[in-house]
Amino acid sequence: MFHEQMKRLQETLCIKVPKVYDWVTRQVDVPVQSFSGENGLTVLDFEGPSPTPGDFLNPCVELANGGALTVHCIITDENGNPVAPLAPNSILCTEIPQIGGRQNVNFDFPNGDTVTLQKVKVLKKGYFVVRVSNARGKSITSVPQPFAVAEKFYLCAPSGTILQCEISEIECDADIICDNNEFIQIDVSINMCQNVQTEATVKLEITADFCHPRQEIPFTCPPKPFPPQCPDIFPGCDN
């Protein structure tokens, strides 16, 4: 009986929703960036007072005699401010426009079927800083360094669909090599996991119920009790 009543309440509705045409995940490895010798120190440009004008801080010298060195890679914005790497827009992940639009590519399967997909180019880019510290807690930090990597995907992405891309995981590692007080190099590697999907807004016809607000739970304010009198000391009150 209940289900029959529900069927009578249902109506055919037209709704507008995003439809996912294709969805893939992939790990992307940014090419290792190496900063070597004097040129590397010039590019990193560690912040702090320079020993002499025109010189650049050498972490192998600046942090010497303070114990073992550790180096960290920190994802930042273009001004060097740390950001939450997985937050929207912390790392740009967007489609690269192609002259003539997305190219159709046919793929043949062993069973004889052929599927047509579109070639989509995707760009990821952002910034990082390198922070070198010694065991005593003293540290120096580089200026922001850009990174970028472009990839191609073969997706169901017909004309009218848009690309949605998000970074779901990221790892940034850095290593430093010193030979006594001589700076040899710093290597930075960045690995990311990404969700890439194509979608478009479509209108669907479905059979469903309209939503209605529920009834509120009845609530009655209790009467506010008055404090008891003190008839023994307050004039005019009877016991």
Side-chain angles (χ1 to χ4, degrees):
M1 181 66 179
F2 174 78
H3 293 291
E4 293 179 356
Q5 292 177 344
M6 290 297 294
K7 289 180 180 179
R8 287 197 296 268
L9 292 175
Q10 291 182 334
E11 297 188 25
T12 299
L13 307 175
C14 182
I15 62 174
K16 184 169 71 173
V17 295
K19 173 188 173 181
V20 176
Y21 281 72
D22 208 348
W23 180 17
V24 298
T25 61
R26 181 192 293 179
Q27 177 177 320
V28 55
D29 301 322
V30 179
V32 174
Q33 296 194 46
S34 293
F35 305 89
S36 304
E38 292 185 5
N39 182 66
L41 292 178
T42 302
V43 174
L44 290 169
D45 190 12
F46 285 100
E47 298 174 339
S50 298
T52 57
D55 286 347
F56 292 91
L57 288 183
N58 178 349
C60 300
V61 173
E62 187 71 17
L63 304 176
N65 303 320
L69 298 185
T70 57
V71 58
H72 294 91
C73 171
I74 304 168
I75 302 298
T76 69
D77 61 17
E78 61 183 341
N79 297 314
N81 302 308
V83 297
L86 304 184
N89 302 321
S90 292
I91 297 175
L92 178 67
C93 188
T94 186
E95 182 174 1
I96 302 173
Q98 303 176 62
I99 298 176
R102 301 164 182 163
Q103 177 185 350
N104 291 332
V105 181
N106 294 326
F107 292 88
D108 297 322
F109 289 92
N111 62 3
D113 292 342
T114 299
V115 62
T116 301
L117 299 176
Q118 286 71 47
K119 182 168 68 173
V120 181
K121 295 183 178 180
V122 182
L123 171 68
K124 274 79 60 179
K125 67 177 184 178
Y127 297 86
F128 66 87
V129 297
V130 175
R131 179 171 296 159
V132 184
S133 308
N134 62 20
R136 294 182 180 177
K138 183 179 179 180
S139 64
I140 57 175
T141 304
S142 74
V143 297
Q145 304 295 322
F147 69 88
V149 60
E151 294 182 291
K152 63 182 177 182
F153 293 80
Y154 294 100
L155 305 170
C156 176
S159 178
T161 58
I162 60 174
L163 183 83
Q164 296 288 351
C165 176
E166 66 172 2
I167 305 301
S168 57
E169 297 288 341
I170 185 168
E171 184 178 72
C172 188
D173 285 328
D175 297 287
I176 186 171
I177 301 175
C178 295
D179 185 3
N180 294 321
N181 289 341
E182 181 183 358
F183 173 77
I184 304 300
Q185 70 185 57
I186 286 178
D187 295 326
V188 176
S189 62
I190 299 175
N191 311 100
M192 295 179 283
C193 293
Q194 57 190 325
N195 285 313
V196 175
Q197 65 184 45
T198 53
E199 61 180 50
T201 300
V202 298
K203 294 180 176 67
L204 300 178
E205 183 180 283
I206 64 171
T207 300
D209 298 333
F210 282 103
C211 295
H212 299 281
R214 66 172 177 81
Q215 292 294 323
E216 284 195 302
I217 299 173
F219 178 77
T220 303
C221 295
K224 183 177 180 180
F226 291 102
Q229 288 278 25
C230 302
D232 293 335
I233 61 172
F234 191 80
C237 293
D238 298 329
N239 291 329

